[in-house]
Amino acid sequence: MRTITVPTVQAGHAIGVDLGGTKILAGVVARDGSVLRTHERATPQDSQEHVLTELEAAVAELLDDAVAAVGFGAPSPLEDASLRDRMRERFGLPVGLDNDANAAAIGEWRAGAGRGTDDLVMLTLGTGVGGGVIAGGKPFRGWNGAGAELGHAVIVENGRPCQGACTGRGHLEAYVSGSAATASAREAFGPSVDAHGLVRLAQDGDAKANELLDDVGRHLGSGIGSFVNVFGPQLVVLGGGFGVAAYEHLSGPVKKVLRREALEPMRSTVRLARAELGTAAGLIGAAFVGFEALDAA
Ligand SMILES: [Zn+2]
């Protein structure tokens, strides 16, 4: 008997664009999360208008007839409506936009460490600490689309001042970001050792480096313990450059504190995992934000 191939509805591809501080990473992504081709260009530093034209150029570079939607993951200050309207007009396709931390969480959920899970929390430890929550099979965005700013959860009352524009104190970000780890490393080992150098020293068995990363891990565990109690996820994913590099050193103390702070039944069931997609998480997640816009159209 011959197999007759029934033409199915063309699911289409989406272009996902991850706008970073130094690079624009774009890719064509299929519904199963596989990346078919990518394109990279530098993020202009002179004006927002120049950033927008480079985002357009990145999309144009990848566009073909199979592309049915475009999604962007961008730092929150980028003006939402203008970017979306402009891209919709320029390409005549449904356009989605989300913040970069949500995009990374969506990427890991659809195609990485969180595949098959409906409830997860992702923390991206880099320059800052980004947070993304998938709850009941949907990205959590809040009423204003800002998502869950988990990095600005208070873990120490009146503790260390937070970073950047944040006026708060004792926020998770001030203790567990790559920048915070770099500050501790410089204090202990001098100006040439950053967060990644600290991880290398710990791997080589340096006691002080291990102690510092243990301290980061315990603070991270405090934050994660609270997030587990609040959101009840099945999985917590640690990503970001520092989060991935230091995972082996952080996971022990995180789990130890988590066992103390999390309530049952989450304490026994929640899993911790290292992000799997590396720098591609943002563009894959952004593509799924594009699919979301397509499906809603
Ligand atoms: Zn803060």
Side-chain angles (χ1 to χ4, degrees):
M1 202 174 124
R2 284 174 57 208
T3 307
I4 299 164
T5 310
V6 180
T8 50
V9 176
Q10 172 60 263
H13 300 149
I15 292 176
V17 185
D18 175 17
L19 171 61
T22 56
K23 272 184 291 190
I24 294 169
L25 295 173
V28 178
V29 179
R31 286 266 186 184
D32 66 0
S34 54
V35 180
L36 307 171
R37 1 183 244 293
T38 59
H39 174 73
E40 182 182 324
R41 55 176 63 215
T43 304
Q45 306 295 326
D46 50 354
S47 70
Q48 180 156 316
E49 176 53 32
H50 195 189
V51 172
L52 290 172
T53 58
E54 288 301 287
L55 289 174
E56 280 180 354
V59 173
E61 190 70 37
L62 293 168
L63 205 58
D64 67 19
D65 290 344
V67 171
V70 184
F72 294 88
S76 353
L78 204 84
E79 221 183 298
D80 186 344
S82 69
L83 171 73
R84 220 175 348 220
D85 291 351
R86 178 166 165 166
M87 296 297 169
R88 218 182 265 145
E89 215 162 279
R90 167 83 160 76
F91 299 108
L93 294 170
V95 172
L97 172 68
D98 209 335
N99 75 60
D100 42 7
N102 264 5
I106 293 168
E108 288 291 336
W109 168 47
R110 295 294 199 167
R115 270 187 313 262
T117 308
D118 280 338
D119 297 272
L120 70 82
V121 167
M122 179 164 176
L123 289 170
T124 310
L125 314 187
T127 310
V129 173
V133 175
I134 308 296
K138 285 189 184 143
F140 169 82
R141 296 194 170 103
W143 67 272
N144 61 353
E149 290 285 1
L150 303 181
H152 299 280
V154 177
I155 57 163
V156 179
E157 192 274 326
N158 201 25
R160 287 184 199 165
C162 203
Q163 310 184 138
C166 182
T167 58
R169 282 184 168 267
H171 292 185
L172 185 62
E173 181 165 299
Y175 295 84
V176 309
S177 64
S179 315
T182 291
S184 309
R186 290 199 171 133
E187 205 177 302
F189 299 102
S192 64
V193 181
D194 64 1
H196 290 273
L198 182 67
V199 173
R200 281 192 295 274
L201 283 169
Q203 274 157 0
D204 293 343
D206 184 280
K208 181 69 187 166
N210 276 291
E211 197 183 297
L212 289 175
L213 287 174
D214 202 69
D215 186 64
V216 172
R218 279 183 278 111
H219 283 94
L220 184 57
S222 302
I224 291 176
S226 294
F227 302 147
V228 165
N229 289 338
V230 171
F231 297 106
Q234 298 152 289
L235 177 72
V236 176
V237 181
L238 278 190
F242 174 61
V244 167
Y247 184 83
E248 295 303 331
H249 299 275
L250 301 179
S251 60
V254 164
K255 284 177 187 164
K256 202 168 152 192
V257 176
L258 188 56
R259 274 197 295 276
R260 186 183 71 205
E261 305 298 348
L263 302 173
E264 289 293 4
M266 289 85 83
R267 178 184 11 209
S268 311
T269 55
V270 70
R271 290 180 298 117
L272 185 69
R274 188 201 320 241
E276 288 176 4
L277 301 176
T279 53
L283 79 87
I284 294 172
F288 277 95
V289 173
F291 283 132
E292 232 182 283
L294 172 66
D295 295 342

